[in-house]
Amino acid sequence: SIWQILEVMVLSALAPLSLGFHAPMTAVAPASRAAVRMQVGYVAPTAPGVAETPLARGNAPLGIDSSILVQGGSLRTWSYRSPSVEQVQVVLSTEGRPLDADIELWQGPDNTPCKMRVYVENGQLRPFSAVVETPRGPNTIAIRNIGQVEFPLAANVVADNVDAPSAECLDTRMTIQGGALRTYPFDPTVDSVQVLLKTDGRPLNARIELLQGPNNNKQVIELYTEDGLDRPFFCILETPGSGNVVRVVNTAPVEFPMTASVVPNSINEQMGYEAVLGGDVVLGGDAGW
């Protein structure tokens, strides 16, 4: 009949529409997904709440990276509620631009038991790495990039596998009176040094400088700790090249002495075979022409 013919025509016209709405999406082959990931620079996703940035990775293999990009003028915080977290390690780096940051430890309202100002001339060649004591939680680490917007930095704060001073660093300590300073020159074979500052329980105010040449500051750390015994300061300074000198200044009054230990951390034996500007070269010596 005519009605049956019309019904068949209507159903045949609606069939493509129903298929368009209900047909499942075509699966993408794994090879195609891999090709797309390579084109857009895909990196394996990180843990929830952790940002993954090319700046933070540097030369590290592709994978999980807990570093966070801190733009110029911005602030990032890391909170640890567990009292079992007694120390954390702070690592700051850049893509080769200068690094200028404020690091503070917050414990309770309006209580800042430790704070430091960090400047590095080249955050890729000399990344900043320090250990902050966090006894009696909860604690919060606040990192503020006080540089301009053109100078972002990558920040990473971890509570496991924290660096510790060596036995030599713990044994070789020197007292620095208030207002005094000490200098520690190092050979070109030393790639990095350990710095440990403590007091007998009094406040700790110090400035650590890495010099390479006359008054040429490559890295500067201005430090304050309310209790140098409960919260000692430990960091590792990268010292590539030759002519590196670490200068430690006790900026507190004479009533607040402190102890300092600065020892080599890593040695590069190959550096000793290269030419060093200003080395042991004597002009006009016994060599004949």
Side-chain angles (χ1 to χ4, degrees):
S1 65
I2 298 177
W3 294 108
Q4 293 178 347
I5 296 174
L6 291 176
E7 183 178 359
V8 170
M9 293 176 63
V10 170
L11 291 177
S12 61
L14 293 178
L17 296 178
S18 61
L19 291 176
F21 281 106
H22 300 287
M25 296 181 62
T26 303
V28 181
S32 302
R33 289 199 298 266
V36 173
R37 292 175 179 177
M38 291 179 63
Q39 292 176 4
V40 302
Y42 175 83
V43 179
T46 60
V50 177
E52 172 69 22
T53 63
L55 173 66
R57 290 194 302 268
N59 297 324
L62 298 180
I64 296 178
D65 192 340
S66 58
S67 297
I68 294 180
L69 185 66
V70 183
Q71 299 290 345
S74 61
L75 172 71
R76 293 292 183 270
T77 59
W78 287 257
S79 297
Y80 298 91
R81 298 184 178 276
S82 175
S84 61
V85 179
E86 296 185 347
Q87 57 183 3
V88 297
Q89 184 164 357
V90 180
V91 180
L92 305 180
S93 62
T94 66
E95 284 185 333
R97 303 185 181 186
L99 187 155
D100 200 356
D102 277 336
I103 304 174
E104 295 182 350
L105 172 62
W106 298 344
Q107 189 178 47
D110 299 328
N111 181 26
T112 308
C114 179
K115 57 183 177 181
M116 64 190 78
R117 167 79 177 270
V118 180
Y119 166 78
V120 182
E121 183 184 70
N122 187 335
Q124 185 179 31
L125 186 62
R126 299 177 180 86
F128 172 78
S129 177
V131 177
V132 180
E133 300 292 333
T134 58
R136 299 177 299 278
N139 295 277
T140 297
I141 300 292
I143 299 177
R144 183 186 302 273
N145 185 351
I146 59 179
Q148 299 179 357
V149 68
E150 297 84 3
F151 302 100
L153 62 87
N156 190 12
V157 181
V158 296
D160 52 351
N161 298 326
V162 176
D163 291 337
S166 61
E168 180 186 4
C169 185
L170 295 173
D171 295 338
T172 58
R173 292 185 295 175
M174 178 182 297
T175 300
I176 303 177
Q177 299 294 338
L181 63 88
R182 293 290 184 272
T183 58
Y184 304 85
F186 289 96
D187 294 335
T189 56
V190 179
D191 278 346
S192 62
V193 299
Q194 300 180 19
V195 179
L196 176 63
L197 304 181
K198 299 181 66 175
T199 67
D200 57 357
R202 307 180 194 188
L204 172 62
N205 289 272
R207 184 172 69 251
I208 305 171
E209 301 175 359
L210 174 60
L211 307 174
Q212 195 173 32
N215 295 324
N216 185 12
N217 288 325
K218 298 297 184 180
Q219 186 169 344
V220 180
I221 304 172
E222 295 181 354
L223 169 69
Y224 164 76
T225 300
E226 68 175 7
D227 189 339
L229 182 63
D230 194 24
R231 305 176 188 272
F233 175 76
F234 175 71
C235 71
I236 295 179
L237 302 179
E238 300 294 331
T239 58
S242 61
N244 291 286
V245 177
V246 176
R247 179 164 61 188
V248 180
V249 184
N250 187 349
T251 57
V254 69
E255 296 85 4
F256 299 93
M258 70 176 184
T259 59
S261 178
V262 183
V263 299
N265 179 62
S266 61
I267 305 295
N268 183 8
E269 297 295 344
Q270 300 298 327
M271 186 63 184
Y273 299 100
E274 298 179 0
V276 178
L277 182 61
D280 298 330
V281 178
V282 179
L283 297 180
D286 296 333
W289 295 91

